[in-house]
Amino acid sequence: MTQSPEQAKGFVQPQTLKGFCDYLPEEMIARNRVIEVIRNVYERYGFVPIDTPILEYLVTLIGTGGEEINKEIFRLESPEREPIGMRFDLTVPFARILAQYPDTVKLPFRRYHIGPVFRADKPGPGRFRQFTQFDIDAAGSKSVVIDAEIIAAMCDVLRDLGLSDGEYQIRVNSRGLMDALLIASNIDGEETRKHVLRVVDKLDKVGLDNIRKELGEGRVDESGDPIRGVGLESGTIDKILEFIAISSETRASVLETVGKVLPDAECTHTAIDEMKELAAALDSLGVGEDEVVFLPSLARGLDYYTGPVYETILPGAPQVGSIMGGGRYDHLVERFMPDPIPATGVSIGLDRLLAGLNAIGKIDTEPTTTKVLIITMRGVPMTELLKIARELRDNNISAEIYLGKRKAKMSDQLAYANHKNIPAAIIVGSDELESNQISIKDLVAGKEKRADISDRDEYRKSGKTGQQTIPREEMIPKLREIIGDE
C-alpha cells in the first residue's frame, strides 16, 4: 500500500473510531442549548443531578439489560485485573446508587443524569457505539402519579424546545393491560410471552398482516430470511390483534374499549384502574389528549417494565424513531439488595432528539457564542481593546478581540465576523479613543440592507451601513439593543 506524504514523515492519520463521532462547535452549541432546556424542566419538577463513573464492575452490568445488551457490553479489565465494563445505560448505575447509599439517598428520590453510554453494537446510519442519554428517574413510590409527572415533564421539555401540538406525541401503555391480555389468551411461559411482546412491538415497522403471520407460523421477510413465529392458534391471534388495534381520540374512551375486549377478571380491573388514575393525573397536570395518547399496541420493553410504559415520537420525522422512552421498573434494584424499591423513569436519546429537531426545523445552529467582535486597528493599544472586552464580559456580553493574522484589514475582520454570524462589531480608532467615543456596527442590519444591492460600486459605498459612533458610556445599552439581550 502506498504511503501518503504525511504517513511517510511519521504523522498519525487523524480518524475517529468506528461507531464514534466528533461534535464540532456548531453542533455542540446546539446540543448545549437543548441540554440546558431539558435541565431547567427537570429541576422545575424537583429532580436533582447525579453522576456516576463510565466504568462499572462487570457483575453490576451483566444480566440487567437482557441477553442482547449483555452481548453489546464493552468489556475491559482494570489495572487490578478485575472484569469491568462500560455502562450501556444510566438506569443500572441509578439502581446501584439506591442500594449503595441507603443512608444518604433518602426515599422518595428524584434524580436526573446526563452522560455518554456505550454499546458494542454494529454501527450504521444514526447508530453509534457511544451516544448520550439524559434521564430522569424517581424511586420510592408505587403511585402512578409520579409516572404522570414524568410524562408531563416530557411534554414540557418538548414545548420549551419550541414544539407545538401535533409536532410530538407521547404514547402510553401498561404492562398490566398486556398481562391481562396474555392471561386471557392462555399464553403461558415467560419466553412465549416475551416473544409475543417482541412481535407486537414491530407493528409500526411491518404492519398488521405480518404481525398476524409472526404470531402464527412465521413468515419470510423481504430478504428471503425466515422469521420464526410464536405458533399461536388463529382465535388467540384474533384476540391479540383486536386489542392492539384499539385507538380513540380520548384516553378515557380507549380504556372503555379495553375493558370490553379484556376478560372480566381481577387483573383486568387492577390494570384499568391504574390507567384511569394515570389519566386523571395527566388531566390535572394539563396534559392534552393530543399530546399523550393511550395506545394498547405499544409493547416496547414490556418484558422489562412492570407498569406504565411510554415513548415519544415526532410525526414529522418518522425516520428518527422514538426520541424518548421509559416506564416503571419495580424490580431492578432487587439485584443489589433484598428490599424492593419501586422506580420509574424516562430516557432521552439526545442524539436522536437533535436529529429529530433538525429534521423538523427546530434547531438554530450557530458557529460561535460570540456576540461582539472587537476590531483591531493600527495605532490603538491592545490594552484599550482588552478594557473594552472586559467591560462587555462584565455585563454578560460575550466578546472576542480579533487576534487572527497581524495587520489584517478591517474588511477581513468583518468578513470573519460575518462568517461566524457575529451580530455586532466594535471599531475604535485613534480619533474615537481621544474623544471617548466608540463605533458600533450592526452586522445583521448591514447585511440585510446590502442583500439587494447588485451594483459593485454601490455595494462598496454601503460599507458603513448599520454603523454609528456614540459616546463610550452608551456602548452597553446600544449593544443590548442590537444583539437582543436584556
Side-chain angles (χ1 to χ4, degrees), residues 81 94 139 174 207 290 388 466-467:
R81 297 187 176 279
F94 176 58
S174 164
D290 52 344
I388 293 171
Q467 182 174 324

Side-chain angles (χ1 to χ4, degrees), residues 45-221:
Y45 279 77
F47 291 87
V48 295
I50 67 166
D51 199 6
T52 64
I54 286 172
L55 299 177
E56 296 274 359
Y57 284 111
L58 193 58
V59 68
T60 299
L61 301 174
I62 288 290
T64 53
E67 185 178 342
E68 287 302 312
I69 291 294
N70 288 344
K71 296 176 184 176
E72 296 174 1
I73 294 174
F74 276 95
R75 302 181 185 217
L76 307 167
E77 188 176 79
S78 74
E80 294 77 26
R81 297 187 176 279
E82 300 164 307
I84 59 177
M86 301 175 78
R87 66 187 182 198
F88 58 81
D89 71 5
L90 301 178
T91 309
V92 173
F94 176 58
R96 175 183 59 75
I97 287 264
L98 293 173
Q100 189 170 343
Y101 303 100
D103 296 330
T104 305
V105 178
K106 299 297 184 182
L107 300 178
F109 179 61
R110 302 181 180 209
R111 79 89 168 90
Y112 70 80
H113 189 182
I114 180 171
V117 297
F118 305 84
R119 296 186 186 177
D121 195 5
K122 183 178 180 180
R127 195 176 190 88
F128 300 102
R129 288 174 172 168
Q130 175 184 324
F131 51 97
T132 301
Q133 289 186 335
F134 202 157
D135 290 15
I136 46 172
D137 290 86
S141 174
K142 291 183 177 181
S143 173
V144 291
V145 170
I146 185 61
D147 292 276
E149 288 223 277
I150 285 174
I151 294 170
M154 294 162 68
C155 290
D156 283 353
V157 163
L158 295 165
R159 292 188 199 118
D160 288 5
L161 287 172
L163 278 70
S164 54
D165 291 354
E167 292 184 316
Y168 63 92
Q169 184 185 77
I170 299 175
R171 299 168 169 180
V172 181
N173 197 12
S174 164
R175 172 64 187 265
L177 292 178
M178 192 60 77
D179 280 347
L181 173 68
L182 296 173
I183 292 170
S185 303
N186 295 315
I187 299 174
D188 298 320
E190 189 65 22
E191 283 308 310
T192 302
R193 291 184 175 187
K194 287 182 179 180
H195 193 176
V196 170
L197 294 174
R198 285 195 296 270
V199 171
V200 170
D201 195 35
K202 297 188 207 176
L203 179 60
D204 285 344
K205 294 179 181 178
V206 304
L208 205 60
D209 288 342
N210 285 325
I211 292 297
R212 178 183 290 278
K213 292 174 183 176
E214 287 194 40
L215 289 174
E217 296 305 313
R219 66 183 180 94
V220 175
D221 67 14

Side-chain angles (χ1 to χ4, degrees), residues 5 24 33 49-50 91 107 111 151 155 170 183 242 312 330 363 375 387 394 396-397 446 454 466:
L24 299 180
R33 288 179 176 164
I50 67 166
T91 309
L107 300 178
R111 79 89 168 90
I151 294 170
C155 290
I170 299 175
I183 292 170
E242 181 185 13
T312 305
D330 286 344
I363 288 288
I375 303 294
K387 289 176 184 177
D394 285 348
N396 204 31
I397 297 175
S454 57

Side-chain angles (χ1 to χ4, degrees), residues 236-248:
T236 302
I237 295 173
D238 289 339
K239 286 182 181 179
I240 294 173
L241 296 184
E242 181 185 13
F243 176 81
I244 65 176
I246 295 172
S247 66
S248 182

